Amino acid sequence: MKKYMPRELAGLAAKIRRFNRHRDWDKYHAPKNLAMGVMIEAAELAEHFLWQETAESRRPDARARAAIRDEVGDVLILLLNLCDKLDIDPVAAALNKLEHNRRKYPAALVRGKALKYDQYPERAARGTKRRPPLSVR
């Protein structure tokens, strides 16, 4: 079991491994395929909210909620499968990222604002470096 992974999550990862092994699907589960699968399933999740007003998206009816739950399941299964293949503890990764974001977005500076970290005037004054734009190869 991974360092931080709760028993329930580790048990789910083991069930996913068994499920895939019984179907001989491991050969299809290269990290690149799993990462693409996460993106596709996340897009299917987002599709349930497309063109909805914010308030409407907060109260899906029972049918929509069931469909959303299925897509969340798909995303989680693929993400855990990816973590398993790359030996990444998903809970540790999330905790590390949360700590990184805590430092990057101090509550006193960002409370009630939704700007990117380098768009806060206080950060710009300190000379926070901006990443160069991604290049197309």
Side-chain angles (χ1 to χ4, degrees), residues 80-98:
L80 286 177
N81 208 347
L82 177 63
C83 288
D84 192 49
K85 298 293 181 223
L86 297 176
D87 196 30
I88 293 172
D89 179 335
V91 175
L95 289 171
N96 288 338
K97 188 62 177 180
L98 190 58

Side-chain angles (χ1 to χ4, degrees), residues 6 15 20 34 41 51-53 64 78 84 88 95 117 121 137:
K15 284 182 180 182
N20 293 334
L34 293 168
E41 293 300 338
W51 312 123
Q52 290 184 352
E53 296 293 329
L78 284 161
D84 192 49
I88 293 172
L95 289 171
Y117 70 93
R137 295 180 191 201

Side-chain angles (χ1 to χ4, degrees), residues 2-71:
K2 307 278 188 208
K3 184 176 180 184
Y4 295 107
M5 195 181 302
R7 203 174 7 252
E8 295 84 3
L9 207 51
L12 177 57
K15 284 182 180 182
I16 294 167
R17 253 184 259 112
R18 253 190 323 277
F19 181 92
N20 293 334
R21 189 175 56 249
H22 291 158
R23 287 155 183 80
D24 193 27
W25 285 355
D26 193 55
K27 59 189 168 197
Y28 305 115
H29 291 163
K32 72 170 192 71
N33 294 337
L34 293 168
M36 287 187 277
V38 169
M39 293 171 35
I40 291 164
E41 293 300 338
E44 290 178 14
L45 173 61
E47 188 175 23
H48 290 282
F49 301 101
L50 187 62
W51 312 123
Q52 290 184 352
E53 296 293 329
T54 301
E56 183 183 5
S57 73
R58 290 184 172 146
R59 53 182 196 294
D61 62 26
R63 187 174 175 179
R65 189 174 177 85
I68 291 165
R69 185 182 57 237
D70 285 347
E71 298 303 341

Side-chain angles (χ1 to χ4, degrees), residues 22 77 104 126:
H22 291 158
I77 288 167
K104 193 173 184 179
R126 290 194 314 227

